[in-house]
Amino acid sequence: MTTHHTQTPFEPHDADPSWWSELFYSALAAIGLVAGVLLINFLLLLPVAQAQGKGELRIGFQKSASLFVLQRAQGTLEKRLAPLGVSLKWVEFPAGPQLLEGLNVGSVDVGFVGEAPPIFAQAAGARFVYIGNDPAAPEAEAVVVPKGSPIKSVAELKGKKIALNKGSNVHYLLVKLLEKNGLKYSDVQPVFLPPADARAAFERGAVDAWVIWDPFLAAAEKQIGARILADGKGVVNNYAYYLAERSYVEKRPEVIEALFADLVAQGKWLKANIKQAAAIIAPLQGLDADIVEVNLRRYQYGVVPVSDAVLAEQQKVADAFFDLKLIPKAIVVREAAWNPGR
C-alpha cells in the first residue's frame, strides 16, 4: 500500500531542487533590505544623536540684558561650557513676555526677564522654573513724561494715556506707583506697546507718559530729554530673574552651574570696569556708550538661587495682578521654583 505524503509549505519540493536556493537568496535579499534600511536610518539619525550627545544651551535674551550682551561679546560662556561638551546658541527677543513664550514652546532653554513676565506666563500654564535672580534694581525702571509736559507728579496721571509693555516688569511698577499716590489702575488709560513703538508714540505725543526700563529709560533721558516722574525706589524691588525649562535644568544642572559661575565673574568684571564694559555693549545695543554707562550703574549684578524671601515678594506681584484681574487665575509662585536640594 502506497502511503501518500502531503507536502507542507516548509518542506523542499522533490521535483524542484532549486527551491532551497531560491528561499536562501530571497532571505538574504530580505535581510539585506532590512539591514539597508536600518543603516540608512542610523546614518540619518547620527547627526541628531551626535548633537544630543554634545549638548546645546539656548539662551533667550533681550538687548536690554546688558550682562548677557557682554557675555555674548566676550565669548566667556562658550569657553566655560566647552569642557562640558556643550555648545551655545543666543536667541534674541524684544521683551520678556515674548521670551517666556519662546521658553514655553521649547525654542530656548534659559531666559532672563523682569518680575512680571513669569507671573503672566505661569498663569497661562507655561512650563518653566525660577533658577536664580539678580539683586533688586528699583532705579532701573521709571515712568517718564516729555520734557515740556505740565505733569509734575504721579497723581496728575489720572485720566492720562500711559504707554507700557504689557506683562513686563514696568506693569507692576505702574500699579504700585498709582497705588502709592492714591490712584487706581482704572484711573489711567494703559496703552500696550513694545519699547520701540512706545517710544515713537511718546515722541509724537500720542501718549502722556511712558513706563519703561533701562537701557530704554536712559536713552529716552539722554536723547529726547524725557523727564523721570518717579522710579521704582521705595515702591518695587525690580528683581531680574533667570528662568529655565524644567526638564533641561533637571537633566543638566552642571550647565546651569557653569552659566551662573560665568554670570558672577562677568558681573564683577563689569562693575569694576564700567566704562570699558559700556564701550563693548554700546554698539551691540545700538546706543552711545554714555547712555549704556548710566544703565549699567543702575543695575546690580550677582546671580543667586531664588530664596524664600524673594519668592514671597514675587507672590505679592502675582496677588496684585490677580486682584486687578490682569491674570485669569490665582497662582502659587513657589510651584514654579526649582529646588534641586529638596
Side-chain angles (χ1 to χ4, degrees), residues 301-335:
Y301 303 99
V303 61
V304 293
V306 182
S307 67
D308 289 341
V310 171
L311 287 173
E313 289 299 312
Q314 187 70 340
Q315 186 65 53
K316 291 179 183 178
V317 181
D319 293 342
F321 283 171
F322 177 66
D323 290 342
L324 291 168
K325 302 188 185 308
L326 294 175
I327 56 175
K329 63 179 182 180
I331 63 169
V332 178
V333 170
R334 188 174 298 277
E335 292 177 354

Side-chain angles (χ1 to χ4, degrees), residues 14-333:
D14 292 338
D16 187 3
S18 65
W19 190 89
W20 273 111
S21 60
E22 289 176 1
L23 178 62
F24 176 74
Y25 287 114
S26 295
L28 281 181
I31 292 171
L33 178 60
V34 173
V37 170
L38 291 175
L39 178 60
I40 291 171
N41 286 338
F42 173 76
L43 293 174
L44 288 173
L45 292 174
L46 185 59
V48 176
Q50 289 175 333
Q52 291 174 341
K54 183 179 181 182
E56 182 180 57
L57 175 63
R58 301 167 300 167
I59 297 181
F61 77 105
Q62 307 165 58
K63 278 187 178 178
S64 60
S66 297
L67 194 53
F68 268 167
V69 173
L70 180 64
Q71 279 184 308
R72 189 183 183 196
Q74 302 274 61
T76 55
L77 185 54
E78 284 90 343
K79 295 174 183 177
R80 198 177 289 266
L81 292 176
L84 299 176
V86 176
S87 61
L88 185 59
K89 181 179 180 181
W90 297 93
V91 184
E92 184 179 344
F93 294 88
Q98 294 91 329
L99 193 157
L100 260 297
E101 179 60 25
L103 189 65
N104 189 45
V105 300
S107 62
V108 294
D109 306 304
V110 171
F112 176 73
V113 297
E115 292 170 322
I119 301 297
F120 283 85
Q122 187 176 352
R127 298 168 298 172
F128 70 90
V129 287
Y130 292 87
I131 56 174
N133 67 272
D134 274 343
E139 295 177 333
E141 59 178 356
V143 55
V144 296
V145 293
K147 60 181 178 181
S149 173
I151 298 174
K152 303 297 182 184
S153 69
V154 173
E156 294 176 52
L157 291 175
K158 186 173 183 178
K160 304 299 185 183
K161 292 181 179 179
I162 305 175
L164 69 149
N165 193 87
K166 184 177 183 179
S168 64
N169 55 332
V170 294
H171 207 147
Y172 184 60
L173 172 63
L174 177 60
V175 169
K176 300 308 288 184
L177 277 175
L178 293 173
E179 181 182 291
K180 182 180 179 181
N181 287 271
L183 295 179
K184 299 177 181 179
Y185 184 71
S186 58
D187 287 331
V188 300
Q189 300 178 56
V191 179
F192 298 128
L193 296 169
D197 294 337
R199 171 153 170 174
F202 182 79
E203 287 194 61
R204 68 173 182 266
V207 295
D208 302 292
W210 180 22
V211 198
I212 190 59
W213 62 90
D214 272 324
F216 305 106
L217 171 59
E221 289 180 272
K222 291 279 189 178
Q223 294 171 344
I224 58 176
R227 174 166 49 88
I228 291 181
L229 204 59
D231 61 25
K233 192 173 182 180
V235 182
V236 297
N237 293 302
N238 191 28
Y239 287 114
Y241 291 100
Y242 295 87
L243 313 174
E245 197 279 319
R246 186 182 293 271
S247 63
Y248 185 91
V249 75
E250 289 175 350
K251 293 175 183 175
R252 303 302 304 265
E254 76 282 5
V255 175
I256 303 303
E257 290 176 8
L259 169 63
F260 279 14
D262 196 65
L263 285 167
V264 170
Q266 286 297 293
K268 289 179 179 177
W269 183 89
L270 185 156
K271 297 303 284 186
N273 302 275
I274 286 185
K275 286 188 177 295
Q276 187 178 347
I280 294 171
I281 295 168
L284 300 175
Q285 291 184 333
L287 297 169
D288 293 335
D290 62 333
I291 292 174
V292 175
E293 187 175 338
V294 171
N295 163 37
L296 296 181
R297 292 186 185 281
R298 287 174 177 158
Y299 276 105
Q300 303 301 314
Y301 303 99
V303 61
V304 293
V306 182
S307 67
D308 289 341
V310 171
L311 287 173
E313 289 299 312
Q314 187 70 340
Q315 186 65 53
K316 291 179 183 178
V317 181
D319 293 342
F321 283 171
F322 177 66
D323 290 342
L324 291 168
K325 302 188 185 308
L326 294 175
I327 56 175
K329 63 179 182 180
I331 63 169
V332 178
V333 170

